[in-house]
Structures are given as structure tokens and as C-alpha cells.
Amino acid sequence: MHFNYTKYILIVFPAAILCGRASFAQDTITNSAIDKVLSVVETVTGNGNFIDNLSPDSNIALPFGIRKQIGAVRYIVAIDSCKFKPAGAYFNAYAAIDFPGTTKKLAFEAANIKFNPKGVVGGNQARLLLVSEHTIRINNLVSLKLKKDGSNWIEWDCNGYKAINLTGYFVFNKAKLVPDSTQTKDTVVTASFHIYTTDLHDFVTQVSITPFAIRDLKNWTFKATDASVDMSELINPPGMIFPPGYSNPNMLTPQMWSGFYLKSIKIKLPSEISKVGKRTEITASNLLIDNMGVTGLFQINNFLTLDEGSMSGWDYSIDELGVGFLCNKLNSGHLKGKVNIPVMDSSQSLVYTADVYHNPTSKEADYHFVINPANNIKFNVFSAQVNLSNTSVITVEKSKGLFKPTAVLNGYMSFNHKNFNSNGGQLLFQDLTFVTHGPYYVTKGIFTLHNIGNQTKTANYPASVNDISFGFNTGAPIMTFSVSINLSDNANSGLSVGTAVSLKGKIEAKPINYKDEIAVSYTKTKWKFDKIVINGFSLGVTTSVFTLTGNVLFLDNDPMYGDGFFGHILFSIDKVLPTPASVTARFGAVSTYRYYYVDAAIPTNIPLGSSPITLTKIMGGLYYHMKPLNASQTELINASKAQPVNPANALTYSPDINTHLGFKAGVSFKYTPNEKSANGDVMLEVAFTQSGGLSFVKLDGNIYFMSEPHEQNKSSVTGSVAIQYDVPKKAFDADAAIKVNAHGGKLTGNGFAKVHIDPAIWYVCIGKPSAQNTVNLLNLVNAQTYFMAGNSIEPALAPPPQVASILSQSALAANRNETQLQGGSGFCAGASLSASINEEFGFSFFTVYGNYNFGLGFDMMMIDYGPNGYCSGNSNEKIGLNGMLATGGMYLYMQGSVGVKGDIHFLPECNCKRRLCACSDFNFKVFELGVAAIVTGKLPKPLYFSGQFGCNYEILGLVKGNFNFDYDY
């Protein structure tokens, strides 16, 4: 650019003086700087004061503009203000550029641009820089932000505008798009860009977009790997493809589209349609973000195999996944694939289709599945062939990021195993419902037998099915058939066996946990056949002569009994042995030792000579390494009757390594004239040590009065006795007990007696102070007694509270001679009697009540001083009664009271209104009296006693008091 320097000065300077703009420096630049740029450009445009290029021959007043036409757009660089300094001449330049697709302008300026007669001095100092940070609202979805940091500028020369350079970012509305918090810490979604172009209306450039999610769609996240921004109304990004059916009412031509084109994008799917363990990320193409939001349509095939997908443990695949987004909404989608029910073969599966739609309530993707067999299909389970009907239906619900399927199956199965063969018979099932959560995976179902004309076989024996059950044992599915097996070639033979054949499955479970932002965990399950188990059998033989019934149960790795079997047989002969004989046995092994027991009970009718006693049963047994749990054979027989139900609850012996060989023998008996008067049983038991020596001998028995033998639990009076001698400990124990409950509970009582003798301790107790023998009559009178002798007996009890509340002395003086007790020269005894009466009578407005309590008791010790016991000071008079002297104490109490209570609201002086008055209720005692006495002493020779007597009284609440005195004789 060459022009006359002097001439140029003449043109510019006067104008500068007239405009008063000799200096362009400003203290601050705010948005008013944008207004200034727009004002200068508008002035130039309004005055039409343009030149096509800046040259020495230009003759135009300030301000003026250099215009340049690029395509359909005219770019103007406005020149304003000039000044002269010793170092040279300077002027200011401005530009206001329309931003495509908006009515907003970008404002640029440059101050103190140096020029000379040769033209504008070039370089960065001549660039027009953005005057302030710009925020431009493009549409409802996005805004543009450009910063005043020197990265946004216009390049120009004497011919005017050359190019524009922009660096900034777009900010998306939080109401539409939000950042994916698993991939970024940004609080808003942005799209950063840089563009250098000669025509801003060709604004198409690459952008980097924050990983984002659609605001109202949870668990779908997007990460663009190849994205462009298109702000041009003239061109589109290279290779851009609109989604099928895409329509935008603001476009006259496709080139007018503006927005963000995501040519390649990674989409992280929700956990329910992802591979197990982690949300799956897929790659999609041609997603658009424009003023209406996110729009796109993608489909992917064969990305999830049966092993990779799981519906809460059920294998499933996604052979085809298609999803459509329109205007920031998930508006269409579909799934196609296969699902495998855990009971099916891995090679068998059902085809499904599902619609995908947006659930506005949960703000998640939801699904509508259609799953049912197109035709009848076959597969194997539990060693059975299953034919599944096409009426079977599977429904799927989504909950907490998981598919929860439920299968309702119809069809039939047949069995062909060496241990169980249905031989053409069919087991029909209807509404057999499988769910995905345990411990019970099958919630209902109906089983029926069909086409059983051909004989079912179990272990090659003809069998008939009586019952079918399906359930779970320790988490494993089991189908059990109750069958009857004919062990004879003759189908009409009376010899048959009943057993239960169990087809046992196992559930292989693999825990799965999602490791990323969605906390989802479940167990992937597969049902497989484990084994066929025959737990035992029941035996039945019925002829015209005899009947035999019984059962044998097999145990395999039982937690208590290990491996072994239990058997129980009842045998009866018509007119000879009408009451069945019983034999019970168990053999087995636990850990490192073996065990067994055998018991038998044979009914009989043997009179014992001329006595009125008849033996009704003979019992006996042998055991080894088993601990007896029941005291009598009656308990054993009763328990064994329940044995087929649950062996762990019914057995009367349990394995015990410390118990060695032992045997039991006994009889049941009755009172011959009337067995209801008295009957019972007695048992002798002998046990041996490991070395073969004697361990203990025990005799025990029970007697029942006023009850039939089969109703012993209803007996009015029952008694029991147990006598045992422990050889290694040299200890003898004898226990006896009696219980009375007669006349409908009007007479009750209980008592016990015990004898214990060992090298260190001996005692005899018939009751004791803490557990006395008791008789109660009509709940009014209660009598208690005890008798004790030995070197380890209980002390006397303190007097009851009725005595202690009146007298200061709190206990009877026992005055026991421990030396005489331990030597066997004395004994202790005690008794008490108490009674109480509470009565009341009255009228409609008052009641008279009274109560009375009485008690009497003693504790004494009787000492035998022998033939050499004489009174002190009189050598010819023996102590006590033939040397027997009693010492101890007794107590007595009586309490009584009479009172009146009622309601006198009707009296005029009470001034009652609506039954509310201060004097309406009363309760006062007429009198109350309590008397107590304690006596301690010795008798008969010498005879002396001492004690206390006390009394408390209260009369009409006005006179009250107490007195007590001591006495000595």
C-alpha cells in the first residue's frame, strides 16, 4: 500500500480534531465497549462512508469503513480516531461481525495501530481483538461463550477484512443435558472449539463435548468421539447423515440445519441390558443435538450373548438392539434375543421381543416383553424329558437396574432313569411358576399324573405313584415321588414296600456385582441334575394270619448321625399277639467310630404268681457308642412311631464316643383286677466302660394311677423312681417323685425324695426347704413338709414376710449340731400350713370387704444322744425321750382386716353435678390387725423356750399402734 503521507495526514487529522478523538485510550473495558464498537460501525454504515481499500489517494473523512464482500456477506472494518506522536502516527479500527444464526454481533477493536506512508504496519499489533467476554444465546438449548483473552481476533490489511479466528465453547442448558458424573467433574455440559476462517458463515468445525446424559433419562450416558458444530446456513459437516425420518420445521434446505453433529459416539447402556458385571458401552453414529435436543437412531446386532447377559440370574442374549431419540426424548426402541430358564438345557432357549419406552415416572427406560414358545419344545431336567407347551408365558419386570422374570410353565415330563422309569407315563404340570429370587424359586404349580396304564418302575420293580411333592432342601430343588413297590411277581400279593424317590437337583450360583456407578448385585443361577436318592422305605405285609409294618430310613452324611440307617418294625398275629411287638434298630458311623442300638418290646400277659400284678410287656435293648435320651421304653416306642417324618426329631439315642456298651431290660405291668387303678413300667440298665468293667447300674420306673395305659399323660396320680450306682465314682443315687392332680385340679400336690451316697457326701431328702413336698386344697389351704439328714443339707428358711414385718427377729434360730448331723445321729424336719380367705359383700352404693391370712410353720432337728446321754447335774435322768432331743423353732402369724368402700354422690351436701363431685368415692378400713409369734427351744428334757410376740392394729384410721414383748421359759 503506497500513498502520499502528507496528503493522508491532511485528510485524517482535521477530522480527528473535529470529532474530538485525538486519543483512543480507555481506563476500563466493559460491555459499554461493545456498544461503542457497534456505534462506530453503525455510523459508518448509516453514512455510507466506505472505501474498498485503504490507499494514499483515499480522500474520505473519519470515520470511514473498508468493506469487503465474501459470498453473500459484507465485512466492514471501521477506521476512527488518529493521533500523531514523535514516534509515528496511529489510528483505531473496529469491526462488528454478525454471528451466524443469530441477530447478535461480535465486537472487535484495535487501538493505536501504527501506520506510515507505506501503509498499515502489519503483525499482531494490527489485529482486531474481541473487546469483551461475549455470551450469545444461540437457542433454548445452547449459548456461546467467547473470552477476551487474545484468542479471538480478526485479521485485516489495506484491503479490509481477511479472516477471523475464534476459540471458545458452547454451554448447554442444564434443563436439557447434564454432565456424566462418572466421567467428568464439570458442572455443565460444554462443547469447546477453535475455528480460523475467511467466512464466518461457513462456521463448521470440530468440537470436544463433555460426556453427558439427557436430563430426564437415567442410566444412559453419551461420550462423543467425533463431533462437529455447524453454525452455517450454507453448508453441513462433511459426510453428515440425517437420522431416517428426521424433520425440522426451521429448515428450508438441509444445508440450513445448525447444531452439533456427533458422527461417532460411545453410549453406556443401563445395567439391565449390559454384560454381567459392568455397564456395556457401545459405539453409535449420526447423533444430532440441535435446538430441539438430542435426536438419533441407532441399532446394534449380536452384542450380548447368552453367557454375557443375565435377567437376575437367567441367561439371556440381545441379538438386536434399536433405540431412537427425538427432541431429547427416548421415543422408540426394541430388543430381540433369547432367554434361558435355569431349568432348561443350556442349548435350549426361548425367543423374545421387547419394546423399549421412556417411563416418565421413574425417568428411566422401561420395557415390554413378549416371551412364549412359538411351538412346543423339549428339553431335559432332573433326569426327565420335559415337553413345554406354547401356552407357557414369561413376564419380565424391571426393578433397581435388573430384569426380574417370572415364568409360568405348562407341559408334561416323563422319566427314564435306571432307578426310576415312568415307562410312558406322564407328569403334567400347570401354572408351574418360577421366580428369580430364593430361597424358594418355585412359588406354585399343579402336578397331575397322566397315562399311567403302563407300570412305573423303581429299580426295575413295578411301582405305583401315590404322591408328588416339589420343594427345596438346603437350597437345592428336590422332586419327590411317594411310590409303592411290589416285591413279588404276583401283582395281588400282600407284600409291598412304600418308599420315596427323590430327584435331587443343584443350583450353581455365581455372584455378580456391578463395579461402576450403579450399585447392582445378583446371583447368576443354573439348575442342574445332581442325583436320585432313595431315603428309605416302609414295609407292609398283610395276610389272614399276621400283619407286619415298618420302615427303614437311610441317611447319607447326616449332621448328627453320619451314614447309616434306622429301622422300626411292628408285628402282630391274629388271636395270638393282637398287640404288636416292636423292634427298633440303628446302625451307623460318625467320624472315626461306629455305633448301633437294638431295642425290642414284646407284648405279654404273665401273672406274677398269686400277686395282683400282671406283666403286660417285656422290653430290652443293647447299645454301643450311643447315648440313651429317654428314660423308659414307652418313650422310645412313642418316638419311633413318628420316625418316618424326621429322624433327627424322633430318635431316642444319639452317637456319643464317650458312651460304650450297655443294655436295658424291663417290663410293663398293670394291677390285674383293674388296670386303670394302677399301671406302669420298670427298666434295668447296665453300662460298661471301654475296658470292659462295670460303669453304672440303673433301675428306673413309672407308675400311673387312675388312667388307662394309653392315657398315662392324663393320670391323676403319677409316681416315678430311679436308682443308679455309678461304679467308677462309687456313687449311689435314688430318686423318687410323685405328682397329684385330682378332682379337676381341686386337689394338687407334688413331692420328691432323694438319697445320695459317695465317699465324700451323703444325704437323704424327702423334700427340702427350697423345694418342699406340697399339698394344695381348693387353692385355700397349702401344706408343705420336708425331711433331711446327712452332711450336705440346706439351712432353715427365714420366716415368711408376714412375720418379719411385725417382729424385729428375721429368722428362726436353727441351733443345729453339724457334728451330729454328719455322723448320722440326727435329722432335720420342717412343715408349714397356710390358709387365706378374701370375701366381700355389699349394696349398690357401698361394699364391705374382708380378708384373713393364717400361717404356722416349724423347723426342727432331732438328735440321738444314745444310751449315755444324761441331763446335766442329774446323772440318773436321760436326755430327751430315750436319748432323743428335739431343738428348733416355730412361727405363727394371723392377719385380718375389714373395710368399706363405695360411692355416695347422691348426698345433697356433696353438691354433685353430672356425677362430678369431690366427695363421691370413699374407701376406708374399719380395722386391721396383725399378730405374729416366734418360738425357739428344746424338748422334752430339758424343756425350755424363748421367743417374741408382736401385734399391729389400726381402727377406723383413727386409732393405730403396735406392741411386742419377749418371753422366756
Side-chain angles (χ1 to χ4, degrees), residues 152 159 184 242 251 259 274 318 347 374 397 414 457 568 628 651 695 726 732 787 810 840 880 896 902 926 960:
N152 296 288
N159 294 316
T184 180
F242 287 98
M251 293 192 321
S274 292
I318 299 180
S347 59
E397 295 181 354
S414 57
K457 290 187 176 182
H568 173 229
L651 292 179
S695 175
D726 189 319
F732 173 83
F787 172 91
S810 60
E840 65 178 48
V926 177
K960 62 177 66 176

Side-chain angles (χ1 to χ4, degrees), residues 547-832:
T547 299
L548 184 150
T549 61
N551 59 73
V552 176
L553 296 181
F554 302 101
L555 292 181
D556 179 14
N557 197 29
D558 184 85
M560 178 179 291
Y561 297 97
D563 300 331
F565 71 88
F566 170 85
H568 173 229
I569 294 176
L570 296 174
F571 178 77
S572 62
I573 303 176
D574 188 34
K575 298 180 181 180
V576 176
L577 191 65
T579 302
S582 171
V583 179
T584 304
R586 169 170 284 282
F587 292 85
V590 174
S591 184
T592 58
Y593 66 94
R594 296 181 179 276
Y595 62 84
Y596 66 81
Y597 77 79
V598 179
D599 274 285
I602 309 299
T604 186
N605 190 18
I606 304 175
L608 290 181
S610 59
S611 71
I613 302 299
T614 299
L615 300 183
T616 59
K617 188 181 296 183
I618 299 175
M619 302 172 290
L622 185 69
Y623 57 86
Y624 176 71
H625 278 329
M626 295 204 79
K627 183 179 180 180
L629 300 180
N630 291 313
S632 69
Q633 188 69 7
T634 302
E635 293 175 298
L636 175 63
I637 298 302
N638 290 338
S640 67
K641 294 177 182 178
Q643 179 61 30
V645 179
N646 188 342
N649 293 335
L651 292 179
T652 56
Y653 289 77
S654 64
D656 181 25
I657 186 64
N658 297 317
T659 302
H660 301 285
L661 183 66
F663 71 85
K664 299 175 74 173
V667 296
S668 294
F669 62 88
K670 67 178 181 179
Y671 178 62
T672 305
N674 184 355
E675 65 178 355
K676 185 175 181 179
S677 299
N679 59 81
D681 54 67
V682 63
M683 182 74 70
L684 173 68
E685 182 177 353
V686 180
F688 299 91
T689 64
Q690 188 174 8
S691 60
L694 189 63
S695 175
F696 68 83
V697 178
K698 180 179 180 181
L699 179 69
D700 58 21
N702 301 292
I703 185 167
Y704 306 90
F705 299 93
M706 293 177 285
S707 67
E708 299 285 352
H710 62 279
E711 293 182 331
Q712 292 173 344
N713 59 334
K714 298 180 181 180
S715 176
S716 298
V717 181
T718 62
S720 64
V721 63
I723 303 172
Q724 176 174 314
Y725 180 66
D726 189 319
V727 177
K729 295 180 180 180
K730 297 181 180 180
F732 173 83
D733 280 282
D735 294 91
I738 187 169
K739 182 177 181 181
V740 179
N741 188 348
H743 303 292
K746 295 180 180 180
L747 176 63
T748 61
N750 59 76
F752 82 97
K754 182 175 180 64
V755 178
H756 176 84
I757 302 173
D758 65 36
I761 298 174
W762 74 275
Y763 58 85
V764 177
C765 293
I766 304 175
K768 54 185 178 179
S770 61
Q772 302 180 46
N773 297 329
T774 302
V775 176
N776 185 280
L777 178 62
L778 300 174
N779 287 324
L780 294 177
V781 180
N782 192 60
Q784 296 179 310
T785 63
Y786 58 87
F787 172 91
M788 302 181 298
N791 61 5
S792 179
I793 61 176
E794 291 185 357
L797 291 177
Q802 293 90 335
V803 176
S805 64
I806 298 175
L807 298 178
S808 59
Q809 183 172 337
S810 60
L812 292 174
N815 195 23
R816 291 181 177 175
N817 189 322
E818 298 295 336
T819 301
Q820 296 284 1
L821 285 174
Q822 294 184 15
S825 298
F827 64 86
C828 295
S832 65

Side-chain angles (χ1 to χ4, degrees), residues 810-870:
S810 60
L812 292 174
N815 195 23
R816 291 181 177 175
N817 189 322
E818 298 295 336
T819 301
Q820 296 284 1
L821 285 174
Q822 294 184 15
S825 298
F827 64 86
C828 295
S832 65
L833 180 68
S834 61
S836 64
I837 299 175
N838 294 277
E839 294 290 343
E840 65 178 48
F841 66 91
F843 303 93
S844 61
F845 60 90
F846 77 93
T847 300
V848 178
Y849 61 87
N851 60 71
Y852 171 76
N853 296 311
F854 167 81
L856 173 68
F858 72 87
D859 178 270
M860 59 160 287
M861 175 181 175
M862 184 71 75
I863 300 175
D864 185 2
Y865 286 92
N868 298 320
Y870 292 91

Side-chain angles (χ1 to χ4, degrees), residues 27-252:
D27 295 331
T28 59
I29 297 178
T30 62
N31 284 340
S32 62
I34 298 176
D35 296 336
K36 175 185 175 182
V37 172
L38 298 180
S39 175
V40 172
V41 174
E42 288 173 0
T43 300
V44 170
T45 303
N47 295 333
N49 201 18
F50 295 110
I51 60 175
D52 293 329
N53 56 70
L54 187 61
S55 69
D57 298 326
S58 299
N59 186 8
I60 190 168
L62 292 173
F64 66 88
I66 304 172
R67 60 186 175 186
K68 189 172 185 178
Q69 190 78 21
I70 299 177
V73 181
R74 185 173 64 175
Y75 294 87
I76 299 173
V77 177
I79 306 298
D80 184 25
S81 299
C82 60
K83 57 185 175 180
F84 297 93
K85 295 182 179 181
Y90 304 87
F91 64 81
N92 298 337
Y94 309 90
I97 305 298
D98 294 329
F99 192 80
T102 72
T103 60
K104 301 296 182 180
K105 295 180 182 292
L106 303 178
F108 299 84
E109 73 170 359
N112 301 321
I113 299 174
K114 191 174 183 180
F115 67 95
N116 56 39
K118 295 181 179 181
V120 177
V121 178
N124 291 342
Q125 67 94 32
R127 287 179 176 175
L128 305 181
L129 302 180
L130 200 67
V131 299
S132 177
E133 181 176 292
H134 283 57
T135 299
I136 298 177
R137 183 173 180 272
I138 306 299
N139 51 48
N140 292 333
L141 177 68
V142 66
S143 297
L144 171 68
K145 279 191 177 291
L146 298 173
K147 291 188 176 182
K148 182 183 179 295
D149 57 2
S151 62
N152 296 288
W153 42 267
I154 290 177
E155 185 179 358
W156 68 291
D157 58 16
C158 293
N159 294 316
Y161 170 85
K162 290 180 61 177
I164 186 170
N165 186 88
L166 295 179
T167 301
Y169 55 93
F170 294 91
V171 180
F172 293 89
N173 189 338
K174 290 183 178 181
K176 300 294 183 180
L177 301 181
V178 293
D180 177 9
S181 60
T182 66
Q183 302 185 65
T184 180
K185 295 183 179 180
D186 293 347
T187 57
V188 293
V189 179
T190 62
S192 59
F193 71 92
H194 170 258
I195 186 172
Y196 176 82
T197 181
T198 57
D199 188 356
L200 191 58
H201 288 267
D202 288 341
F203 194 124
V204 176
T205 187
Q206 293 290 111
V207 291
S208 177
I209 302 178
T210 305
F212 66 92
I214 297 174
R215 182 70 175 185
D216 292 330
L217 180 62
K218 296 179 181 179
N219 306 326
W220 293 72
T221 57
F222 305 83
K223 182 179 180 180
T225 56
D226 184 358
S228 303
V229 60
D230 179 358
M231 302 306 299
S232 171
E233 297 179 354
L234 305 175
I235 61 174
N236 296 128
M240 178 177 177
I241 300 175
F242 287 98
Y246 175 79
S247 176
N248 190 325
N250 297 321
M251 293 192 321
L252 298 178

Side-chain angles (χ1 to χ4, degrees), residues 921-936:
D921 298 323
F922 65 92
N923 184 350
F924 62 90
K925 293 180 180 179
V926 177
F927 73 87
E928 183 176 21
L929 178 68
V931 177
I934 289 179
V935 181
T936 60

Side-chain angles (χ1 to χ4, degrees), residues 368-662:
H368 176 70
F369 281 83
V370 177
I371 312 175
N372 62 289
N375 299 295
N376 294 353
I377 62 174
K378 297 180 180 181
F379 58 91
N380 292 322
V381 64
F382 287 177
S383 190
Q385 186 178 70
V386 178
N387 286 264
L388 194 63
S389 170
N390 60 4
T391 59
S392 302
V393 175
I394 298 177
T395 58
V396 180
E397 295 181 354
K398 195 190 79 167
S399 174
K400 297 181 180 179
L402 291 176
F403 285 140
K404 300 281 189 179
T406 299
V408 181
L409 307 181
N410 301 315
Y412 65 90
M413 62 177 67
S414 57
F415 301 88
N416 185 12
H417 190 276
K418 63 180 181 179
N419 288 334
F420 187 71
N421 190 330
S422 61
N423 204 16
Q426 298 172 350
L427 177 63
L428 277 68
F429 54 88
Q430 182 179 357
D431 295 335
L432 185 59
T433 304
F434 287 82
V435 296
T436 57
H437 53 280
Y440 303 107
Y441 295 87
V442 178
T443 59
K444 67 177 182 177
I446 300 173
F447 292 91
T448 56
L449 292 174
H450 181 65
N451 192 24
I452 57 175
N454 296 324
Q455 188 77 55
T456 302
K457 290 187 176 182
T458 299
N460 291 324
Y461 287 100
S464 60
V465 179
N466 303 320
D467 192 17
I468 302 170
S469 63
F470 185 89
F472 289 83
N473 183 14
T474 62
I478 295 180
M479 179 173 286
T480 301
F481 297 83
S482 177
V483 299
S484 297
I485 305 172
N486 196 326
L487 300 180
S488 173
D489 293 334
N490 184 356
N492 297 320
S493 172
L495 181 59
S496 65
V497 173
T499 187
V501 179
S502 297
L503 308 179
K504 187 177 181 181
K506 58 183 178 181
I507 299 179
E508 294 182 350
K510 179 182 179 183
I512 301 295
N513 294 287
Y514 280 87
K515 304 300 183 182
D516 61 354
E517 69 275 12
I518 295 183
V520 176
S521 63
Y522 60 87
T523 300
K524 192 169 184 178
T525 58
K526 192 67 181 177
W527 291 27
K528 293 187 176 181
F529 173 71
D530 186 9
K531 57 185 176 181
I532 289 184
V533 178
I534 300 178
N535 296 318
F537 60 85
S538 60
L539 180 68
V541 180
T542 302
T543 70
S544 59
V545 178
F546 69 89
T547 299
L548 184 150
T549 61
N551 59 73
V552 176
L553 296 181
F554 302 101
L555 292 181
D556 179 14
N557 197 29
D558 184 85
M560 178 179 291
Y561 297 97
D563 300 331
F565 71 88
F566 170 85
H568 173 229
I569 294 176
L570 296 174
F571 178 77
S572 62
I573 303 176
D574 188 34
K575 298 180 181 180
V576 176
L577 191 65
T579 302
S582 171
V583 179
T584 304
R586 169 170 284 282
F587 292 85
V590 174
S591 184
T592 58
Y593 66 94
R594 296 181 179 276
Y595 62 84
Y596 66 81
Y597 77 79
V598 179
D599 274 285
I602 309 299
T604 186
N605 190 18
I606 304 175
L608 290 181
S610 59
S611 71
I613 302 299
T614 299
L615 300 183
T616 59
K617 188 181 296 183
I618 299 175
M619 302 172 290
L622 185 69
Y623 57 86
Y624 176 71
H625 278 329
M626 295 204 79
K627 183 179 180 180
L629 300 180
N630 291 313
S632 69
Q633 188 69 7
T634 302
E635 293 175 298
L636 175 63
I637 298 302
N638 290 338
S640 67
K641 294 177 182 178
Q643 179 61 30
V645 179
N646 188 342
N649 293 335
L651 292 179
T652 56
Y653 289 77
S654 64
D656 181 25
I657 186 64
N658 297 317
T659 302
H660 301 285
L661 183 66

